Amino acid sequence: MKPSETTNNNSKVEEVWMGAFPICLYQGFWCPPNLLQPTILFQTQFKAYDNDIILASLPKTGTTWLKSLIFAIVNRNKFLDFTQHPLQTQNAHELVLQLEAKVYNNITNGSTQPDFPKLPSPRLFATHIPYFSLPKSLKTSKTRIVYVCRNPLDTFVSSWHFYHQFKLNMKPELDHSMIEQHFGKFCEGKFLYGPYEDHVLGYSKESIQNPDKVLFMEYEGLIEDPKAHVKKLAEFVGYPFSMEEEKGNIIDEIIKLCSFDSLKEMEVNKSGNFYGYFENKALFRKGGTGDWTNYLTLSMVKKFDEIFQLKFKGSGFSF
Ligand code: A3P
């Protein structure tokens, strides 16, 4: 498909994302055209269960980390020996499937419903779709949604690295003139599943209006105080730690199991690849906060400040 060609889904293919693949504008957000059909199926066919747990995020904001934490928290009584934990042999993205990119992209039986594998209860899923475009069933059910947000500049820099090695064997092309060009697009809102601000503010607003429905977490907060955040997360998803557990070391063990250093060193993440798209190790680049200072120039940050101050005015967010 060529840029600006209109598809029969009222979307437009307009951009090439980070030189890696095309993205099109659909319902006000940017999505890969090959995921449009699965996205529409997800929107129209998904029947949420009240005890489903959904992780929502923009790409590169800590999705892998949160998937690991949620899986480990919910299944802590099932897998007692962490040396044999499923996270040791399966990447978090295989354990918590993304609805639009995996579940509804894999329908092979000619129907509109995925042949849901015998998923254990509660079902754990993930999505990158903005709140306003989620299926109605997900919004009206008691399904709980955990949202993770990350500093936009770090999110951009993380994306910059990731999408330059998105296809296996693709060499990173970290030329400064290119980064400026892509950063300009990010500031304009052209970002995978963005605009960034619509995504963040959509979930943030819902978490304020409906705190039992959406838990809004910040990557930076998790880095700063993992224990408090993991406790809050466990409570929100309906698996609070008992007094006895709090006195023991299970919370610390979960934090350690899902830490950057631990996940990065697991064999599956050192050598595996994600269905032939990218190497799992690309999901564990550096971790932490503030890496943007190593990549963005003063003038780029000034431009960002001017634009984002306006976008987030009155929202209580500051970056
Ligand atoms: P960097 O590229 O800044 O290192 P996502 O999982 O949404 O794709 O986000 C990827 C980012 O989260 C990458 O950031 C990656 O290194 C970081 N990350 C992955 N696992 C992490 C963990 N357990 N703890 C903290 N950060 C993690």
Side-chain angles (χ1 to χ4, degrees), residues 60-62 65 150 154-155 157-158 161 219-220 223 258-261 264 281-292 294-295:
K60 312 322 294 171
T61 57
W65 190 12
R150 190 181 190 190
D154 281 336
T155 302
V157 167
S158 182
H161 286 87
Y219 178 97
E220 294 73 21
I223 295 258
C258 301
S259 69
F260 180 84
D261 290 338
K264 189 184 162 83
K281 67 180 178 201
L283 293 163
F284 308 94
R285 187 184 65 93
K286 202 168 183 178
T289 59
D291 194 33
W292 62 266
N294 297 315
Y295 293 92

Side-chain angles (χ1 to χ4, degrees), residues 106-118:
N106 269 11
I107 304 179
T108 50
N109 56 7
S111 85
T112 52
Q113 276 299 337
D115 186 13
F116 275 116
K118 285 186 191 116

Side-chain angles (χ1 to χ4, degrees), residues 271-285:
S271 57
N273 71 66
F274 191 71
Y275 304 101
Y277 285 112
F278 54 82
E279 292 178 294
N280 289 346
K281 67 180 178 201
L283 293 163
F284 308 94
R285 187 184 65 93

Side-chain angles (χ1 to χ4, degrees), residues 260-274:
F260 180 84
D261 290 338
S262 145
L263 292 179
K264 189 184 162 83
E265 287 309 315
M266 287 173 187
E267 201 47 49
V268 61
N269 295 325
K270 281 204 288 196
S271 57
N273 71 66
F274 191 71

